[in-house]
Amino acid sequence: MAELVKGKEDFRNNPLDELVIDEHPESPPQSGKSILIKCTIAVLAGLLVYALPTPEGLSIEGHKLLALLLTCLILWTTEAIPIGVTALFVGGGMIMFDIVGRNDAWTPYANPAVMFVLMIIMFGVVLNEVGLARRLMYHLLKVAGTNVMRLSFILAVGCTLLATILHDATVTVVMVFAFVPVFMAMGMRPGQGHRLPKFFIILIPLAASAGGFGTMIGGGRNPLALEILYRYQEANYGTYKVIGFLEYMLIQFPICFLTAVATWAVVYVLFRPEEKELTGVKLEYPGPLRGAELGVAIVFIAAFVLWFLGDLTGWHVSVVAMLAMIGFCAPGWVSFKTICDKFPWESWIVFGAGVSLGLALLKTGAGEFLAASFLPLLEGRSDFAIFYGLGFFGSFLSSLMSNSAAVALALPVTLPMADMLGMSPTAVALLAPMTTSFIMLVIGCPPTIIAYSSGYFTQVEFIKVAVPWCLILLLVACFGALVWWPLIGVH
């Protein structure tokens, strides 16, 4: 489909059939002295927090967890040791320091959500192996062309809107696996510092994350936020108003166009590549669908249908993913050994560590302590400051745990606060699934972990984009809460 027309040596070294996702993305080379200094700073920072008196309202276990959390965050962001090793330290450290028990520390590494993400990433390997990812790229380039600005804008809007109805991890897997072969064919391998692949590979997960709140089926945090709102209103007012599927879509979906454009603009400004065109890439018609492609496509579509029917079947999303894996491998369209060989296992471990940390924050009360410490700072502020502050708190939590867990933790604290401040609990509840979509760390959500696994960017490079992206999209969220929602009667 795409081939390099210059640099034959590079082309031979980067065949299109080569592994797409780097199983072990390496950090930039570091000296032993640099590693020692970073590790020392991380440990000392954790010890400093631990040495402080335990604050009132925080358990001993929660205090130790915050010390461990700070150590791990420094190790993650500095990449002093491989991100996967730090992820293992999360589980082991919580046992070592008696923060939670063995089961509470390690079981989240394989809970249903983590297993779902594992199989979703495997879907990407399958799509690449049978050639569907390249076929998708052919059609995308045919429509959008090879102009970098035009292609990236269409990509950003497309990923955001797709993520309103599909899992953002699915969107990211499909698009990352479609784009990486093009960069490989252009001789731009992971870890070589090329700006063009960094731009596209960072843009994809951020754009997908910016759309998950658009409809009720875009993510589990959306119905969860409404459920918490209903319970709160019934308990405090004796009644509640049901927000249906279409009404929710009217409230949230239009804002997705703004988050898509804002995401593209932020990444383009901060990581604008020198290349104006994807030079050296030419389109070749991939021919009619082959048997394996058609079979995998049918199974893929069937999986989507079953996910949509989840309320009727009662099946967890991981069950459908498991059935799809059987559908892919049983007919021999792709070997399970090949999938395992090319699977970025580090991503799975890192996501498991994030889930484990999130549950520990809930179990030890450390998350509630953070909320109780931060939210009173908003009292007496303007509506904009309160919405922005609540949004920032949601984004901060979501960077450390799953966005559903962040919603479950934040809303029971912020809804009573909204009443006390004279704010609309409905608006505060609807704000939560939106702002927990905006994360600041690679470990924040599966899409960013999947993209990081490509090896094209480092965590520090991601943070340089993700933090301003998050802060700007919070402005978009406040615009939605203060301007759009009152226009359609949401108070």
Side-chain angles (χ1 to χ4, degrees), residues 1 15-22 120-137 173-182 184 290 292-293 296 300 328 333-334 338-339 342:
M1 181 274 295
L16 290 177
D17 289 332
E18 193 171 335
L19 172 64
V20 172
I21 289 291
D22 185 352
I120 281 292
I121 300 176
M122 286 183 170
F123 278 21
V125 179
V126 172
L127 292 174
N128 180 61
E129 285 300 303
V130 300
L132 280 174
R134 296 187 192 99
R135 184 178 295 277
L136 172 66
M137 193 64 198
V173 162
V174 171
M175 298 314 301
V176 167
F177 273 82
F179 265 86
V180 170
V182 173
M184 298 286 277
R290 294 172 298 167
E293 288 180 279
V296 167
F300 210 56
F328 295 145
W333 293 324
V334 61
T338 299
I339 296 173
K342 298 188 175 183

Side-chain angles (χ1 to χ4, degrees), residues 8 15 41 64 138 189 197 239 246 272 282 285 287 305 389 399 426 483:
K8 292 183 178 179
I41 292 173
K64 289 188 287 188
Y138 165 79
R189 298 182 65 82
T239 183
L246 290 179
R272 182 168 56 188
K282 67 178 183 180
Y285 177 58
V305 172
S399 298
T426 301
V483 178

Side-chain angles (χ1 to χ4, degrees), residues 167-371:
H167 197 285
D168 50 11
T170 306
V171 176
T172 300
V173 162
V174 171
M175 298 314 301
V176 167
F177 273 82
F179 265 86
V180 170
V182 173
F183 300 130
M184 298 286 277
M186 295 173 70
M188 297 178 177
R189 298 182 65 82
Q192 294 182 338
H194 296 289
R195 202 172 177 88
L196 182 66
K198 282 182 187 177
F199 167 66
F200 276 101
I201 301 302
I202 289 178
L203 176 65
I204 290 170
L206 293 185
S209 297
F213 65 91
T215 71
M216 276 198 192
I217 58 176
R221 60 194 178 282
N222 306 334
L224 176 62
L226 294 180
E227 177 66 22
I228 295 174
L229 174 65
Y230 299 156
R231 291 182 190 175
Y232 176 79
Q233 289 176 326
E234 187 174 34
N236 290 275
Y237 311 139
T239 183
Y240 60 84
K241 178 182 178 301
V242 174
I243 296 177
F245 185 93
L246 290 179
E247 185 179 5
Y248 181 90
M249 189 171 172
L250 174 65
I251 294 169
Q252 303 282 43
F253 187 80
I255 301 174
C256 291
F257 288 97
L258 299 179
T259 57
V261 174
T263 298
W264 172 81
V266 170
V267 181
Y268 191 79
V269 168
L270 296 180
F271 257 108
R272 182 168 56 188
E274 296 177 354
E275 295 85 351
K276 304 294 183 187
E277 298 280 339
L278 294 183
T279 55
V281 176
K282 67 178 183 180
L283 301 177
E284 290 181 357
Y285 177 58
L289 279 173
R290 294 172 298 167
E293 288 180 279
L294 182 60
V296 167
I298 291 174
V299 173
F300 210 56
I301 293 171
F304 286 138
V305 172
L306 288 175
W307 278 326
F308 283 126
L309 298 177
D311 289 342
L312 296 177
T313 63
W315 291 346
H316 187 265
V317 287
S318 60
V319 174
V320 177
M322 176 274 295
L323 292 174
M325 290 302 300
I326 294 175
F328 295 145
C329 298
W333 293 324
V334 61
S335 149
F336 189 64
K337 181 178 184 305
T338 299
I339 296 173
C340 292
D341 287 345
K342 298 188 175 183
F343 184 81
W345 294 99
E346 192 174 48
S347 305
W348 179 46
I349 297 171
V350 171
F351 185 60
V355 175
S356 183
L357 263 178
L359 293 177
L361 282 167
L362 293 172
K363 186 176 180 65
T364 62
E368 189 174 353
F369 169 78
L370 292 176

